[in-house]
């Protein structure tokens, strides 16, 4: 409801304040081309603002402390003579503004008789004003409405000086708690049960956070003791792969999801009690926390052997996948920069680095290929030929080579893990160390001594005997 209210108000402002605005054409094609049209459009905005109460069908009001402001930006001095190919320009930018109060002046000449547009050196004209409104649709759901401040900015952009002044309307929205309210005809929604449920969720997440943090700390302590033992007793350095065995990634995922859920729940409670109106921030925290919770469910699938091999494959392939992505990312960025520099002036999808990256990522997935080829403008034969070579090489390289290599990495890891499970071969020194000790947890061989740590008694003795046996056989 919040997003819909913002979007529909933006459409409303475009139809109210932009002369002859058409939704089909959009803002990209909305422009003025003559001096009288510029004055007419500015006067139209002032008149519509002045008679807003009589024309709007919404509950829009003026901001008392913020009148409309009309500002013109232009070069200090500019003498331009295209016929003789000469010019004299001072690039210092001057800003000239005047205020328009509602129900006061209907036109720009009446509001400021000295307001003259310097078209030859004008950069832009910005008209800014603030309108207030209340989102009443939440009343139907027995929730208190929010109050909105719409900061409307209408820009006449003449920086290109091509004879076409583009017109754009932007809208910045601030959502605030209404100062006074009174709702009759229906009882207010009882939010106490919802807040109580949110508090229960927070308590559960705090307990989960504490338990998982304790487990992670114990694992790190155990890893340190194992590293010290291997260094002193065996003279071996523990590889990072064995060190990471002590760090449970699922616990870290749960800790992150708990933190996000706790923060999101706090914001949700404050929104429900009308203390805050940060809907987007709250949704990001709760949405990301929920995603991590559902990803954590995969952990329990690992108790089944057929599902466990998939989890082990993802974990084992992750380092190689990251290395592969880093290498492929360098090639990808090289194509992004090349497309942005060469094709940007001629293709809409290559105007910015962001759109270039989105376009190339779509091409990798086989989307929108024909349209990307067809939209290339043939204003320059050389660039058009370059675009064909550029697109064909990129598609061939990434689809037929890089993606297949990516699949091969995961496939090889899957078959390696499957072969290890069938053969029962141990894959690390840590597994060899643990395989020597066959005692059960209640055998008394795992007693903890604060002065010496966890690795004690029979397991250590047997490990030493095992190492001595291996060395004597060698």
């Amino acid at each position: 409801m919040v997003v819909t209210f913002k979007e529909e108000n933006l459409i409303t402002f475009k139809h109210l304040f932009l002369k002859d605005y058409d939704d089909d054409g959009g803002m990209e094609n909305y422009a003025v081309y003559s001096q009288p049209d510029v004055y007419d459009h500015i006067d139209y905005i002032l008149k519509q603002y002045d008679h807003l109460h009589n024309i709007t069908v919404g509950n829009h009001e003026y901001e008392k402390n913020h009148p409309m402001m009309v500002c013109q930006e232009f070069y200090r001095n500019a003498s331009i003579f295209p016929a003789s190919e000469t010019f004299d320009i001072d690039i210092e930018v001057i800003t000239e503004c005047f205020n328009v109060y509602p129900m006061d002046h209907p036109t720009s000449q009446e509001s400021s008789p000295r307001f003259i547009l310097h078209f030859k050196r004008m950069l832009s004209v910005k008209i800014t004003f603030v309108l207030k409104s209340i989102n009443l649709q939440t009343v139907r759901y027995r929730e208190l409405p929010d109050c909105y401040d719409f900061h409307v900015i209408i820009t006449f952009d003449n920086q290109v000086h091509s004879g076409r002044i583009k017109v754009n309307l932007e809208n910045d929205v601030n959502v605030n708690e209404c100062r006074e309210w009174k709702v009759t005809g229906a009882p207010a929604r009882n939010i106490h049960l919802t807040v109580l449920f949110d508090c229960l969720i927070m308590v559960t997440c705090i307990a989960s956070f504490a338990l998982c943090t304790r487990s992670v700390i114990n694992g790190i302590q155990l890893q340190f003791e194992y590293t010290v033992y291997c260094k002193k007793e065996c003279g071996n350095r523990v590889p990072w792969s064995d060190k990471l065995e002590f760090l449970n990634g699922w616990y870290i995922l749960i800790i992150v999801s708990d933190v996000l859920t706790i923060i999101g729940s706090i914001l949700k409670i404050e929104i429900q009690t009308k203390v805050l109106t940060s809907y987007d921030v709250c949704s990001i925290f709760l949405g990301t926390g929920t995603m991590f919770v559902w990803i954590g469910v995969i952990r329990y699938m690992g108790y089944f052997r057929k599902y466990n091999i998939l989890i082990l494959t993802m974990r084992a392939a992750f380092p190689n996948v990251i290395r592969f992505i880093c290498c492929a990312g360098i090639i990808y960025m090289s194509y992004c920069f090349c497309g942005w520099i060469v094709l940007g002036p001629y293709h809409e999808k290559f105007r910015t680095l962001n759109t270039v990256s989105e376009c190339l990522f779509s091409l990798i997935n086989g989307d929108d290929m024909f349209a990307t080829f067809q939209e290339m403008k043939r204003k320059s034969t050389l660039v058009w030929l370059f675009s064909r070579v550029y697109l064909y090489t990129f598609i061939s390289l990434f689809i037929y080579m890089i993606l297949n290599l990516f699949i091969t990495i995961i496939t090889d890891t899957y078959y390696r893990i499957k072969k290890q499970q069938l053969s029962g071969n141990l894959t690390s020194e840590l597994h060899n160390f643990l395989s020597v000790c066959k005692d059960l947890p209640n055998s008394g061989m795992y007693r903890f001594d604060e002065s010496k740590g966890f690795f004690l008694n029979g397991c250590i003795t047997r490990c030493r005997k095992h190492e001595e046996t291996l060395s004597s056989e060698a």
Side-chain angles (χ1 to χ4, degrees):
M1 289 187 292
V2 173
V3 174
T4 302
F5 189 72
K6 292 179 182 179
E7 293 177 348
E8 292 189 355
N9 271 276
L10 179 60
I11 298 174
T12 299
F13 296 149
K14 290 179 180 179
H15 283 276
L16 284 178
F17 298 107
L18 300 182
K19 187 177 181 181
D20 301 328
Y21 175 76
D22 185 11
D23 283 327
D24 296 332
M27 295 304 301
E28 295 181 358
N29 299 323
Y30 190 80
V32 290
Y33 301 90
S34 64
Q35 296 183 14
D37 284 344
V38 177
Y39 282 110
D40 288 343
H41 279 71
I42 294 176
D43 291 340
Y44 180 82
I45 295 171
L46 299 184
K47 289 180 180 179
Q48 293 293 97
Y49 179 78
D50 185 63
H51 298 91
L52 182 65
H53 285 98
N54 300 327
I55 59 177
T56 182
V57 295
N59 54 356
H60 300 105
E61 287 285 347
Y62 302 112
E63 171 61 54
K64 298 179 181 179
N65 300 323
H66 293 84
M68 174 185 283
M69 180 177 293
V70 182
C71 294
Q72 176 189 189
E73 294 182 349
F74 54 91
Y75 293 124
R76 176 182 289 275
N77 183 26
S79 300
I80 303 173
F81 306 99
S84 60
E85 299 181 351
T86 59
F87 64 91
D88 181 14
I89 187 171
D90 183 356
I91 62 173
E92 182 181 354
V93 178
I94 304 298
T95 302
E96 184 181 275
C97 300
F98 67 90
N99 295 331
V100 178
Y101 293 89
M103 308 302 291
D104 189 7
H105 301 291
T107 65
S108 60
Q109 295 300 322
E110 293 180 2
S111 59
S112 181
R114 294 179 296 176
F115 183 74
I116 300 175
L117 298 177
H118 309 283
F119 290 98
K120 296 295 183 181
R121 51 197 175 109
M122 183 183 76
L123 295 174
S124 66
V125 175
K126 289 186 178 181
I127 302 175
T128 60
F129 54 91
V130 180
L131 297 178
K132 303 180 75 67
S133 184
I134 300 176
N135 187 2
L136 295 177
Q137 60 180 329
T138 57
V139 176
R140 294 176 298 169
Y141 303 95
R142 296 186 297 170
E143 293 184 3
L144 293 176
D146 293 321
C147 292
Y148 290 71
D149 292 342
F150 294 97
H151 297 262
V152 183
I153 304 174
I154 303 175
T155 305
F156 292 79
D157 188 1
N158 191 41
Q159 294 185 6
V160 181
H161 288 91
S162 61
R164 181 175 184 265
I165 299 179
K166 295 183 291 185
V167 184
N168 186 36
L169 188 148
E170 298 177 339
N171 182 26
D172 293 332
V173 185
N174 291 331
V175 184
N176 305 310
E177 178 187 2
C178 295
R179 299 177 182 176
E180 298 180 5
W181 62 83
K182 181 180 180 182
V183 180
T184 58
R189 183 179 180 181
N190 188 0
I191 64 172
H192 298 294
L193 293 178
T194 306
V195 173
L196 182 62
F197 180 74
D198 293 332
C199 293
L200 178 62
I201 294 296
M202 291 172 58
V203 172
T204 305
C205 290
I206 291 173
S208 172
F209 174 84
L211 294 174
C212 291
T213 303
R214 186 192 66 173
S215 299
V216 170
I217 293 174
N218 289 337
I220 294 175
Q221 291 176 348
L222 190 60
Q223 180 259 319
F224 281 136
E225 294 183 9
Y226 174 70
T227 303
V228 172
Y229 165 77
C230 290
K231 186 176 181 180
K232 289 183 178 180
E233 303 293 337
C234 305
N236 298 330
R237 295 186 61 183
V238 180
W240 277 104
S241 58
D242 286 353
K243 290 182 179 180
L244 293 177
E245 290 283 346
F246 293 92
L247 192 62
N248 195 322
W250 295 114
Y251 289 158
I252 297 177
L253 183 68
I254 294 173
I255 290 172
V256 174
S257 66
D258 287 337
V259 172
L260 294 175
T261 304
I262 291 171
I263 297 175
S265 299
I266 293 174
L267 294 175
K268 181 174 178 289
I269 293 174
E270 292 182 341
I271 289 174
Q272 289 176 328
T273 55
K274 296 301 176 182
V275 177
L276 291 178
T277 55
S278 304
Y279 292 96
D280 293 337
V281 178
C282 176
S283 63
I284 290 174
F285 278 106
L286 288 179
T288 309
T290 304
M291 179 183 69
F292 287 160
V293 167
W294 279 97
I295 292 176
V297 175
I298 300 177
R299 174 196 178 193
Y300 301 100
M301 306 297 291
Y303 293 109
F304 302 94
R305 184 173 182 179
K306 292 185 177 180
Y307 292 102
N308 186 47
I309 189 173
L310 301 177
I311 300 174
L312 293 176
T313 300
M314 289 189 293
R315 187 175 68 176
F318 183 75
N320 291 330
V321 168
I322 295 298
R323 297 187 190 100
F324 180 82
I325 290 176
C326 291
C327 296
I330 295 174
I331 303 175
Y332 183 82
M333 289 304 300
S334 66
Y335 271 89
C336 286
F337 282 108
C338 179
W340 176 48
I341 294 170
V342 180
L343 306 182
Y346 301 95
H347 202 296
E348 190 69 27
K349 295 181 180 179
F350 291 83
R351 291 291 167 84
T352 63
L353 276 176
N354 184 39
T355 56
V356 172
S357 179
E358 293 172 354
C359 176
L360 295 183
F361 189 79
S362 299
L363 291 177
I364 292 176
N365 292 277
D367 184 30
D368 214 21
M369 285 190 182
F370 181 75
T372 304
F373 278 94
Q374 288 298 109
E375 290 179 9
M376 182 63 197
K377 301 175 183 178
R378 298 196 62 170
K379 293 182 179 179
S380 173
T381 304
L382 180 62
V383 176
W384 183 84
L385 292 174
F386 178 87
S387 69
R388 265 45 194 170
V389 176
Y390 172 86
L391 292 174
Y392 279 121
T393 55
F394 176 81
I395 293 171
S396 302
L397 179 64
F398 273 84
I399 292 181
Y400 302 127
M401 183 178 176
I402 294 181
L403 284 184
N404 284 325
L405 287 175
F406 182 80
I407 296 172
T408 302
I409 291 174
I410 299 177
T411 305
D412 290 344
T413 306
Y414 173 80
Y415 284 116
R416 189 177 73 250
I417 297 296
K418 188 175 182 180
K419 184 178 179 180
Q420 290 174 357
Q421 282 194 341
L422 293 176
S423 62
N425 293 332
L426 299 172
T427 58
S428 66
E429 291 296 328
L430 176 62
H431 292 161
N432 292 330
F433 180 84
L434 295 176
S435 64
V436 177
C437 189
K438 304 296 184 180
D439 299 293
L440 297 175
N442 58 356
S443 63
M445 306 302 297
Y446 301 95
R447 291 191 298 272
F448 178 77
D449 188 345
E450 295 183 357
S451 62
K452 297 181 180 180
F454 286 98
F455 297 101
L456 299 171
N457 304 330
C459 286
I460 295 295
T461 304
R462 284 173 223 182
C463 287
R464 290 175 179 172
K465 291 181 179 180
H466 180 68
E467 291 173 358
E468 293 174 356
T469 303
L470 293 177
S471 60
S472 62
E473 291 178 355

